[in-house]
Amino acid sequence: MVERRHLLDVDDLDREGIERILDMARSFAEVQRRPIKKVPSLRGKTVANLFYEPSTRTRLSFELAAKRLSADVLNFTASASSVQKGESLKDTALTLEAMGVDAVVVRHPVAGTPWLLRKWINATILNAGDGMHAHPTQALLDLFTMRERMGNLEGKTIAFVGDILHSRVARSGMKACRFMGMEVLAVAPPTLLPPVAMEGVEFTCDFDAALPRCDVIYMLRMQKERQQEGRVPSIEEYVRFYQIDAGRMGRARPGAMVMHPGPMNRGVEISSEVADAPYAVMTAQVASGVAVRMAALFTLLGGAEGGDGIA
Ligand code: ASP
């Protein structure tokens, strides 16, 4: 039996493994600029997208990535399936396996779900976001976007700002940026910072003081769906201290860029003026997502022979 490889979090990669995926993504990004955007690399393979939580960018870009590699794609949305009749995750996964699926891309509200799937079925598993825990392909596409604009990331400073406590994007992103030798700041009100410090990450509540240090200002969505209890006194108060707006951008380093994983809450963590400014690179992040997910699928499904740092 072929030993399957998985992408559950960025820990499954070392720096060399990350760089190999980013380099490969560069070639796939070039393919995306051709009139015919499809390559035959995964012809005969089947990829299932198993989504138990809403998603726009991640689901569409995984689908497009698999299709542009010529794989067959199954899109499973929990809200339109037998999950509504009470079918368990395990039985759903076993059904996909019985249909000969080679890879399962999974998004689920419960942290750790991709690790369970890895135990239950023999397919390659890619984590497309599990609860508040991890979102490795988001971290990879963010690194790709930064590297394309700034070159070597070593020594550059990034601040993740906002609802860090509930953010899988921040958790995977901070680790990935550390792997690449970046300085990482976590900026949030004390109630939205994780209770345990992360190795190598500097925590601060003072956004205005942190701004002049940052090459990249990474804004996080306020995760209303994961907040049972009020963690900020009011949105107005939050906006006053933690929204990135044109005034605050005046304090940033010249050339600093603003990122956001989407979906944005315009008027909460980011003002519309900043969201639409040339230094905000959200559409570049989306474009990178397709190329990076092509590289991840291609690497995991047998595209890259030899060690590539993927567990
Ligand atoms: N789209 C990202 C995620 O699924 C970020 C967010 O929802 O705030 O985690």
Side-chain angles (χ1 to χ4, degrees):
M1 189 169 45
V2 185
E3 209 205 309
R4 296 286 187 176
R5 294 177 299 166
H6 310 278
L7 182 56
L8 305 183
D9 198 356
V10 289
D11 303 309
D12 287 333
L13 300 160
D14 51 21
R15 180 165 174 167
E16 217 183 294
I18 291 180
E19 274 169 356
R20 206 166 295 146
I21 289 189
L22 301 187
D23 290 343
M24 194 187 289
R26 197 154 215 220
S27 315
F28 285 128
E30 190 272 314
V31 171
Q32 301 315 295
R33 290 190 284 272
R34 293 183 193 163
I36 308 239
K37 299 177 173 59
K38 204 165 169 134
V39 288
S41 323
L42 291 185
R43 197 162 50 199
K45 301 279 186 191
T46 306
V47 177
N49 291 318
L50 188 58
F51 278 65
Y52 283 76
E53 254 192 7
S55 171
T56 300
R57 281 150 291 271
T58 307
R59 200 183 63 72
L60 291 177
S61 73
F62 262 116
E63 179 177 349
L64 202 54
K67 285 182 170 163
R68 289 196 171 157
L69 292 166
S70 304
D72 294 319
V73 182
L74 299 176
N75 286 317
F76 172 96
T77 308
S79 55
S81 73
S82 287
V83 170
Q84 296 311 311
K85 300 179 190 164
E87 187 160 37
S88 70
L89 174 68
K90 185 169 184 178
D91 288 330
T92 305
L94 292 172
T95 301
L96 291 176
E97 169 145 79
M99 289 177 180
V101 159
D102 297 287
V104 175
V105 176
V106 61
R107 165 165 294 190
H108 200 280
V110 176
T113 299
W115 282 259
L116 281 177
L117 285 185
R118 182 181 59 178
K119 276 203 217 148
W120 291 334
I121 59 173
N122 188 40
T124 286
I125 310 295
L126 292 99
N127 185 359
D130 62 319
M132 295 167 16
H133 181 222
H135 197 350
T137 56
Q138 177 76 47
L140 292 173
L141 76 86
D142 290 333
L143 289 181
F144 182 82
T145 309
M146 288 187 260
R147 208 179 68 161
E148 289 302 291
R149 285 182 154 58
M150 304 192 306
N152 187 4
L153 300 179
E154 184 90 47
K156 298 283 192 320
T157 300
I158 181 169
F160 287 85
V161 185
D163 190 356
I164 293 169
L165 179 66
H166 299 100
S167 176
R168 56 194 174 207
V169 170
R171 249 172 281 281
S172 289
M174 292 195 290
K175 270 194 265 182
C177 291
R178 290 295 300 145
F179 282 166
M180 303 305 283
M182 297 180 77
E183 300 296 322
V184 180
L185 308 180
V187 183
T191 47
L192 290 176
L193 281 170
V196 185
M198 280 188 66
E199 211 186 306
V201 176
E202 186 184 325
F203 284 17
T204 174
C205 301
D206 194 341
F207 190 17
D208 287 324
L211 266 171
R213 295 169 58 192
C214 302
D215 299 291
V216 182
I217 304 153
Y218 197 108
M219 301 308 299
L220 297 166
R221 181 174 66 89
M222 185 69 104
Q223 309 253 317
K224 292 177 195 139
E225 76 277 26
R226 297 192 212 282
Q227 291 195 27
Q228 262 79 55
E229 66 281 34
R231 291 200 165 257
V232 289
S234 68
I235 290 297
E236 292 70 32
E237 182 86 350
Y238 182 78
V239 164
R240 193 147 75 87
F241 291 102
Y242 294 101
Q243 182 188 82
I244 188 74
D245 59 12
R248 268 211 170 93
M249 272 315 281
R251 298 179 61 86
R253 222 177 236 190
M257 64 189 196
V258 174
M259 300 177 79
H260 192 300
M264 288 186 274
N265 288 314
R266 284 175 185 253
V268 180
E269 67 270 1
I270 188 164
S271 73
S272 263
E273 205 181 347
V274 168
D276 298 327
Y279 50 74
V281 299
M282 281 67 94
T283 49
Q285 287 173 269
V286 174
S288 306
V290 178
V292 165
R293 288 175 175 126
M294 285 173 84
L297 284 167
F298 182 61
T299 303
L300 291 166
L301 288 178
E305 297 306 333
D308 56 10
I310 295 185

